[in-house]
Amino acid sequence: MTKRTRQDSETPDIIESRDFQALFDSLAKQGYRLVGPTVREGVVIIDEIAQVSELPIGYIDEQEKGTYRLTHSSGSAFFGYGLGPHSWKKYLFPPRMRLWQAQRYNGSFAIAADDSTDQEVQPLALIGVRACELAALAIQDRVFMGDYPDPHYKAQREQLFIVAVNCIHPESTCFCTSMNTGPRAAGGFDLALTEVLEADRHYLLTQVGSDAGAKMLEAVPHRPATREEKAAADTLISRAAEHIERSMNTRGLKELLPASAESPHWDAIAARCLACGNCTLVCPTCFCATVEDTTDLTGENAERWRLWDSCFTTEFSYVIGGSVRASVKSRYRQWLTHKLSTWVDQFGTLGCVGCGRCITWCPVEIDITEEVRAIQAQHAAVSDGAGRKKKDAHA
Amino acid sequence: MPRKTKPKLAVWKFASCDGCQLSLLDCEDELLAVADAVEIAYFPEATRASLKGPYDVSLVEGSITTEHDAERIHKVRRASKTLIAIGACATSGGIQALRNFKDVKQFTSVVYATPKYIETLSKSTPIADHVFVDFELRGCPINKMQLVEVISAYLNGRKPNVPRYSVCIECKRRGTPCVMVAHGTPCLGPVTQAGCGALCPLYQRGCFGCYGPSDAPNTRSLSEQWKAMGQTPKDLARAFRTYNAYADAFRKEGDLHEG
Ligand code: SF4
Ligand code: SF4
Ligand code: SF4
Ligand code: SF4
């Protein structure tokens, strides 16, 4: 993706809502498989789509910790809802993937050709990527394309066309403003849209982010935006930023969390946490996988599979003799400390983009922003009091 | 290297509904491979042929509910190199373990015309309460793919890939929207062992706990959440007292809510 000049990004274009399908069509014509938000079982998920009409048009969701409710309104907005449980990582880092298969051969074994097609890399157009999700992609890029690139991830990453959407209806669970990741898409897209829905007009203010984006836009009816149209879109995004309710103070977290390893608050969380792993699996940056080797009954054929894993399972930290993190307390502590502290040592960035998924999809309403605040408060109380005399519980 | 002699497999039945054995029969394609890989030495549900022990692998279905069975299971153990308990009955006592919470004599007096002919133990117990079990495969009924996996693993001398984490992990890998969060439907998935592939949530039902408690079941926290969702203590007691009622974690949680 080549960067466009500043000037380009300052002169957005307008795609009228009735012409939006033309973008879908031209992407398809260029050989892209389109994936984007669509409704399944009362939830906005990400799946294959071909038509604008398959988007959750007119749907609005309400999210709180442990709750998600989707309702249909009479509105006609394409992107009037927030993030659902799926994230784009499922395409770059599939939940289940066969790594190789082998056959017994002359007392040894030979790696056999992979005959599966469902994990084939193909040109993929992601429709409706939010700003925090672009940030999550950038984080996973560091994880999967760093010193030891993951071949599948890298190959698929190079074949993406990204249509971003600026958020104008943040959820109560969002805290992107604390993490500096949203609500406006700052880069890392081919096209970025701001949906403006007025009493008598419905258009998409379109910003070009790459040469591929510029080329694609050529195939869609469009015209330069007026100053008023641009101002209308800008107002919607700034208003969205003002409406973000949750927050997290990240200052000093990198040091605070390891220093709080013995905090009694972990016990309080462990009493509630189910160690179910939902938070890690919905998180767009979590990257852990386990590997399973299988054989068939004859013992002639073997396969190696990679599956999404979570630091909340007992098996995750199993070494000879048992699990290193036998308690739920140690698992929650691992998740939070990795996300907001040791991730920085590993990848030079926090592992959280403030998307709020782990808050919504925790079945027992555990909220990462509340837990961080509780640990901060406890630390402050200890330092204010007799904390000085106490030995630093550095573990 | 191809194996020279086929290992002998036996399938045994104790107090059960036969559903787990049928899972093996249900393996149509795989069954041919099973039949090819092993000599089915004793499997009354499928074949009349019966070969004498010892057996390399014995699959045991059902719980122990009578004096006679409590003795028979020792014979099975002695005749088997590897004994694998299959299904909720064999691993936790099954649905019939509901008797463990009541007086079984009362039942027999109500149900049978001549209760004195009924010889039964006061409790339905899992196989591992009586003999050493090499592996427990959970489920009511078991998942046939997991059964094939376990048989393959034992035949090939490797560890079976049968994880003990929660149903939620399978549910999320599958991309199924969570019924607890999205619809307020009570689900036992977070405290139940995976294995079914998160079947009920796939059909927008809450998990019933067929695979018994997971390896770290925080039943107390889940119960609190269920209550906040409007479930009564009676609902909770019922939810934990089904196919795996006598499994430790579920039994204790059920006891707590029985009023
Ligand atoms: S930790 Fe939670 S809020 Fe942060 S990126 Fe992951 S899912 Fe989103
Ligand atoms: S938080 Fe847990 S699951 Fe997520 S990347 Fe870190 S160790 Fe892996
Ligand atoms: S924090 Fe919530 S979602 Fe995460 S493991 Fe614990 S109970 Fe599950
Ligand atoms: S539907 Fe049930 S099993 Fe699936 S994630 Fe939700 S609580 Fe877990």
Side-chain angles (χ1 to χ4, degrees):
Chain A
M1 208 182 303
T2 23
K3 286 251 162 64
R4 300 255 300 179
T5 60
R6 234 178 98 79
Q7 225 170 8
D8 287 320
S9 61
E10 279 176 1
T11 53
D13 290 284
I14 297 293
I15 301 177
E16 295 293 338
S17 59
R18 61 171 179 273
D19 295 323
F20 193 29
Q21 181 63 39
L23 177 62
F24 281 43
D25 296 341
S26 66
L27 281 164
K29 221 169 121 196
Q30 300 281 315
Y32 286 101
R33 187 179 139 219
L34 276 71
V35 291
T38 190
V39 177
R40 194 211 288 161
E41 294 157 26
V43 173
V44 172
I45 55 128
I46 301 173
D47 208 347
E48 199 153 344
I49 51 172
Q51 306 291 325
V52 167
S53 60
E54 290 171 75
L55 291 170
I57 295 175
Y59 278 93
I60 333 177
D61 54 351
E62 253 182 73
Q63 301 191 28
E64 239 318 317
K65 47 183 180 183
T67 330
Y68 176 103
R69 290 292 179 277
L70 190 69
T71 46
H72 195 249
S73 73
S74 56
S76 50
F78 299 138
F79 301 105
Y81 41 85
L83 299 174
H86 290 193
S87 76
W88 309 97
K89 81 172 175 187
K90 67 174 184 171
Y91 294 109
L92 294 147
F93 166 47
R96 290 172 51 81
M97 185 170 146
R98 182 161 62 201
L99 298 178
W100 49 259
Q101 48 187 333
Q103 267 155 17
R104 212 186 274 275
Y105 182 74
N106 267 350
S108 173
F109 69 95
I111 305 282
D114 203 318
D115 53 12
S116 74
T117 50
D118 53 354
Q119 57 202 40
E120 237 171 52
V121 167
Q122 52 186 321
L124 212 56
L126 314 184
I127 310 292
V129 183
R130 309 299 175 118
C132 62
E133 299 186 296
L134 292 170
L137 261 174
I139 290 175
Q140 285 217 324
D141 285 352
R142 293 190 189 207
V143 174
F144 287 107
M145 302 202 298
D147 294 341
Y148 305 99
D150 176 89
H152 177 87
Y153 185 99
K154 191 161 185 284
Q156 185 58 72
R157 184 71 175 98
E158 282 159 5
Q159 300 225 43
L160 291 188
F161 186 96
I162 298 180
V163 180
V165 167
N166 289 314
C167 281
I168 53 180
H169 302 291
E171 301 297 334
S172 83
T173 42
C174 297
F175 57 104
C176 58
T177 39
S178 296
M179 313 310 279
N180 284 323
T181 57
R184 184 193 287 274
F189 52 79
D190 295 291
L191 293 173
L193 313 173
T194 311
E195 182 175 26
V196 183
L197 187 58
E198 290 163 352
D200 49 352
R201 287 202 59 200
H202 186 189
Y203 60 88
L204 298 150
L205 186 110
T206 309
Q207 192 190 340
V208 170
S210 71
D211 292 338
K215 225 165 128 200
M216 198 61 68
L217 186 62
E218 288 312 313
V220 183
H222 68 283
R223 59 165 176 80
T226 65
R227 199 174 300 165
E228 290 72 33
E229 285 163 338
K230 187 172 181 303
D234 282 342
T235 310
L236 289 173
I237 303 170
S238 359
R239 211 180 292 156
E242 285 158 22
H243 279 120
I244 304 251
E245 295 164 20
R246 272 186 170 71
S247 66
M248 184 192 285
N249 179 0
T250 57
R251 195 182 309 142
L253 271 185
K254 184 184 177 307
E255 293 74 31
L256 176 66
L257 288 170
S260 307
E262 301 302 329
S263 164
H265 189 65
W266 302 117
D267 293 308
I269 305 174
R272 298 162 59 209
C273 176
L274 306 166
C276 62
N278 273 303
C279 48
T280 54
L281 300 176
V282 292
C283 179
T285 67
C286 274
F287 55 81
C288 284
T290 181
V291 166
E292 273 183 14
D293 289 339
T294 66
T295 50
D296 67 359
L297 285 160
T298 63
E300 294 300 305
N301 304 292
E303 294 186 344
R304 172 163 291 184
W305 285 78
R306 185 182 75 180
L307 310 169
W308 280 359
D309 201 3
S310 164
C311 53
F312 280 96
T313 71
T314 313
E315 280 141 51
F316 184 87
S317 64
Y318 190 88
V319 292
I320 189 154
S323 179
V324 172
R325 295 191 199 102
S327 66
V328 173
K329 153 186 164 172
S330 64
R331 294 182 218 166
Y332 190 89
R333 183 174 60 196
Q334 156 65 18
W335 138 264
L336 205 69
T337 309
H338 190 207
K339 293 264 111 179
L340 300 167
S341 174
T342 48
W343 204 293
V344 182
D345 300 323
Q346 261 182 305
F347 305 110
T349 165
L350 292 172
C352 173
V353 298
C355 74
R357 281 190 182 89
C358 58
I359 304 174
T360 301
W361 298 98
C362 172
V364 290
E365 305 178 14
I366 294 176
D367 173 347
I368 189 170
T369 64
E370 281 176 14
E371 302 314 332
V372 164
R373 201 164 288 130
I375 285 171
Q376 284 166 331
Q378 200 157 56
H379 180 79
V382 171
S383 337
D384 279 355
R388 287 291 150 115
K389 274 180 241 151
K390 256 191 161 183
K391 262 201 171 167
D392 193 0
H394 210 109
Chain B
M1 238 178 293
R3 283 178 286 265
K4 287 203 192 83
T5 51
K6 283 192 194 175
K8 277 199 265 179
L9 175 94
V11 184
W12 308 90
K13 177 187 157 62
F14 288 82
S16 64
C17 75
D18 284 23
C20 290
Q21 293 186 60
L22 293 178
S23 294
L24 184 57
L25 285 177
D26 195 25
C27 290
E28 294 160 15
D29 299 340
E30 299 83 6
L31 193 61
L32 292 173
V34 173
D36 231 22
V38 299
E39 186 164 16
I40 300 191
Y42 183 77
F43 188 3
E45 187 79 50
T47 161
R48 246 181 275 167
S50 96
L51 290 180
K52 275 210 156 144
Y55 308 100
D56 293 284
V57 177
S58 275
L59 303 176
V60 177
E61 176 198 86
S63 68
I64 304 299
T65 54
T66 63
E67 285 290 357
H68 174 249
D69 279 354
E71 278 168 31
R72 187 161 64 100
I73 188 63
H74 285 279
K75 288 186 192 143
V76 171
R77 177 68 264 190
R78 276 198 295 277
S80 315
K81 286 190 191 151
T82 300
L83 188 155
I84 301 172
I86 60 168
C89 302
T91 59
S92 79
I95 191 86
Q96 60 273 27
L98 287 174
R99 69 158 71 161
N100 303 3
F101 302 95
K102 299 274 188 255
D103 179 6
V104 78
K105 285 212 184 91
Q106 272 183 3
F107 292 134
T108 48
S109 67
V110 174
V111 174
Y112 297 99
T114 324
K116 65 173 187 200
Y117 293 150
I118 304 298
E119 270 179 30
T120 188
L121 295 169
S122 64
K123 285 189 166 49
S124 165
T125 46
I127 302 301
D129 279 10
H130 301 265
V131 296
F132 175 76
V133 170
D134 293 276
F135 191 81
E136 289 191 327
L137 184 63
R138 306 269 202 89
C140 184
I142 53 168
N143 172 319
K144 63 175 187 178
M145 296 320 293
Q146 275 201 326
L147 180 60
V148 171
E149 164 61 16
V150 170
I151 296 174
S152 302
Y154 275 93
L155 294 180
N156 291 293
R158 65 175 173 83
K159 180 177 149 284
N161 293 309
V162 176
R164 300 216 44 213
Y165 46 61
S166 71
V167 176
C168 299
I169 303 263
E170 289 187 316
C171 197
K172 281 287 180 291
R173 278 187 194 143
R174 194 165 191 157
T176 305
C178 174
V179 300
M180 280 270 283
V181 171
H183 307 297
T185 305
C187 180
L188 282 178
V191 296
T192 300
Q193 182 175 308
C196 60
L199 208 54
C200 288
L202 187 68
Y203 293 96
Q204 300 190 57
R205 306 285 301 260
C207 165
F208 291 100
C210 309
Y211 282 62
S214 66
D215 59 2
N218 191 345
T219 51
R220 198 65 39 82
S221 172
L222 188 67
S223 292
E224 285 307 312
Q225 193 68 20
W226 276 37
K227 279 193 212 155
M229 293 162 71
Q231 300 292 303
T232 63
K234 200 172 161 195
D235 297 330
L236 277 160
R238 278 221 174 128
F240 285 104
R241 291 224 180 131
T242 60
Y243 323 100
N244 289 286
Y246 208 54
D248 227 30
F250 285 5
R251 176 172 53 80
K252 287 182 185 148
E253 195 60 32
D255 285 350
L256 258 174
H257 302 285
E258 213 200 34

